[in-house]
Amino acid sequence: MSLSNSLGLLGRKVGMMRLFTDDGDAVPVTVVDVSNNRVTQVKTQENDGYVALQVTFGTRKASRVTKPEAGHLAKAGVESGEIVREFQVSAEAASKYAAGASLPVGDLFAVGQKVDVQGTSIGKGFAGTIKRHHFSSQRASHGNSRSHNVPGSISMAQDPGRVFPGKKMSGHLGDVTVTTQNLDVIRIDESRQLLLIKGAIPGSRGGFVTVRPSVKAAPKGAN
């Protein structure tokens, strides 16, 4: 995929609903609010060593903004946002925008397009090996005692006499950056700047997400 197509939008996961097709089929969709995306900085090869568009989304109280960030946003003439992300693009694509420009959803995405959605997965706290790594539990009867949901032996023989790093064990589950790829854009509400994407996307309701054109989608006409 060319870099010119990698510009995306920041948004907030609103929740899930379903749409009905003309044939009566129900399609589960996730509603993403991508309103008021605005460019805070255009990075160039000459000044920054790479080409990118810095984008912000949402609103934040002035008292919650640091002085360096406030000066940076004031220079661009935009309101402070809740999150800031960069999208590396080609120089030709970056030349179409200036600091303070808005990014309407209708200019970047279309119905039927494949997109990748990145967000932070729901945190599930401390979890055991079965829940965390999808291990199989041991037998529940016939000689088994207090070892139904335990991982079993984790040690090696006398050589090497240690547990290798990366061993799948109990620990923190969730609350990591996850990207779901090749999702379909079912509908676009340009008046309210909403994206309706087929299927589930990472994170809980109200969480921030990044929507980009899919990097692995097959080009149109390909078998």
Side-chain angles (χ1 to χ4, degrees):
M1 186 187 76
S2 64
L3 288 176
S4 60
N5 293 328
S6 63
L7 178 60
L9 292 176
L10 308 178
R12 179 183 284 106
K13 181 178 177 179
V14 178
M16 293 195 69
M17 57 178 292
R18 59 178 177 175
L19 301 175
F20 290 95
T21 65
D22 295 336
D23 298 330
D25 296 329
V27 180
V29 296
T30 302
V31 182
V32 180
D33 178 15
V34 291
S35 61
N36 200 18
N37 272 256
R38 49 211 184 271
V39 178
T40 58
Q41 184 181 4
V42 180
K43 296 197 171 184
T44 62
Q45 188 70 37
E46 295 76 15
N47 296 332
D48 306 284
Y50 65 100
V51 182
L53 291 177
Q54 188 184 90
V55 181
T56 188
F57 165 81
T59 58
R60 177 179 292 181
K61 293 181 179 179
S63 60
R64 300 291 184 180
V65 182
T66 62
K67 288 185 178 180
E69 184 180 359
H72 176 70
L73 297 173
K75 182 178 179 181
V78 299
E79 182 184 8
S80 60
E82 296 177 89
I83 57 172
V84 178
R85 296 288 186 270
E86 285 188 3
F87 297 93
Q88 291 196 24
V89 296
S90 66
E92 180 182 357
S95 63
K96 300 178 182 179
Y97 300 93
S102 60
L103 300 174
V105 62
D107 294 348
L108 298 178
F109 296 105
V111 174
Q113 182 178 356
K114 297 282 188 179
V115 294
D116 296 338
V117 183
Q118 185 180 81
T120 303
S121 62
I122 298 175
K124 300 181 182 296
F126 190 93
T129 53
I130 291 177
K131 183 175 181 181
R132 189 183 185 200
H133 300 294
H134 309 290
F135 285 176
S136 297
S137 61
Q138 299 182 32
R139 62 194 306 174
S141 61
H142 294 286
N144 196 356
S145 174
R146 297 184 302 157
S147 298
H148 310 295
N149 288 338
V150 296
S153 176
I154 63 169
S155 61
M156 307 293 287
Q158 184 173 358
D159 180 23
R162 64 188 180 94
V163 178
F164 289 120
K167 180 72 173 178
K168 292 183 178 180
M169 299 179 68
S170 303
H172 189 202
L173 176 61
D175 194 25
V176 295
T177 301
V178 178
T179 302
T180 304
Q181 299 179 326
N182 290 344
L183 298 177
D184 296 314
V185 176
I186 301 298
R187 184 179 299 176
I188 297 177
D189 189 337
E190 296 193 28
S191 61
R192 292 185 290 181
Q193 294 291 291
L194 299 176
L195 273 175
L196 278 67
I197 301 173
K198 182 179 179 180
I201 64 175
S204 57
R205 288 192 300 269
F208 297 115
V209 296
T210 303
V211 185
R212 296 183 176 91
S214 179
V215 297
K216 293 183 178 178
K220 292 184 178 181
N223 294 328

